[in-house]
Amino acid sequence: QVQLVESGGGLVQAGGSLRLSCAASGSIFSFNTMGWYRQAPGKQRDLVATITSGGRTNYADSVKGRFTIARDNAKNTVDLQMNSLKPEDTAVYYCALETNLGIRYWGQGTQVTVSS
């Protein structure tokens, strides 16, 4: 079993920045993908960014150039630096870890609200 704990959400004005952090614990194997997803009210949960244990990243088109994902394999943490935030970035952000067997674990979510 894997546990994920997120921190760093909050309220920010448009154009501002926030940093989300996620710490994983439990039965974590070396090869996995960690990432962030978000879900706005009434919408499906969408990918924001992911990073493999080897450092390969993937971003949603809507956040490219504004968000940066990074991980520390020794500490089993993943961070999401969000710059130039827009009101449409408002959502609950979820940390995720997917094992090399395709099992995905979720954090409890953290609210990000961007005011215009």
Side-chain angles (χ1 to χ4, degrees), residues 37 51 61 86 102 105:
Y37 293 72
I51 183 168
D61 288 342
K86 305 175 181 179
Y105 298 92

Side-chain angles (χ1 to χ4, degrees), residues 18-37:
L18 281 175
R19 187 177 186 88
L20 304 183
S21 297
C22 174
S25 61
S27 302
I28 301 169
F29 295 95
S30 299
F31 301 103
N32 58 70
T33 298
M34 296 186 75
W36 293 91
Y37 293 72

Side-chain angles (χ1 to χ4, degrees), residues 4 9 15 25-26 36 39 41 54 63 67 73 90:
L4 301 170
S25 61
W36 293 91
Q39 188 168 19
V63 307
F67 291 12
N73 289 334
T90 295

Side-chain angles (χ1 to χ4, degrees), residues 6-14 16-21 36-41 48 66-67 80-95 109-115:
E6 302 120 332
S7 61
L11 173 64
V12 66
Q13 289 188 329
S17 299
L18 281 175
R19 187 177 186 88
L20 304 183
S21 297
W36 293 91
Y37 293 72
R38 66 186 180 187
Q39 188 168 19
V48 176
R66 300 189 297 123
F67 291 12
L80 184 69
Q81 178 66 43
M82 305 185 293
N83 299 327
S84 303
L85 282 161
K86 305 175 181 179
E88 51 263 43
D89 294 318
T90 295
V92 177
Y93 284 68
Y94 295 91
C95 177
T110 185
Q111 178 70 46
V112 171
T113 302
V114 184
S115 63

Side-chain angles (χ1 to χ4, degrees), residues 42-113:
K43 296 189 176 181
Q44 66 181 18
R45 189 173 298 185
D46 291 327
L47 178 147
V48 176
T50 60
I51 183 168
T52 68
S53 51
R56 184 166 56 191
T57 59
N58 180 44
Y59 294 92
D61 288 342
S62 59
V63 307
K64 283 180 181 177
R66 300 189 297 123
F67 291 12
T68 302
I69 190 169
R71 66 184 286 169
D72 185 328
N73 289 334
K75 297 181 179 179
N76 292 319
T77 59
V78 62
D79 292 341
L80 184 69
Q81 178 66 43
M82 305 185 293
N83 299 327
S84 303
L85 282 161
K86 305 175 181 179
E88 51 263 43
D89 294 318
T90 295
V92 177
Y93 284 68
Y94 295 91
C95 177
L97 183 149
E98 183 169 333
T99 72
N100 60 342
L101 297 179
I103 301 171
R104 186 177 292 167
Y105 298 92
W106 297 98
Q108 79 282 3
T110 185
Q111 178 70 46
V112 171
T113 302

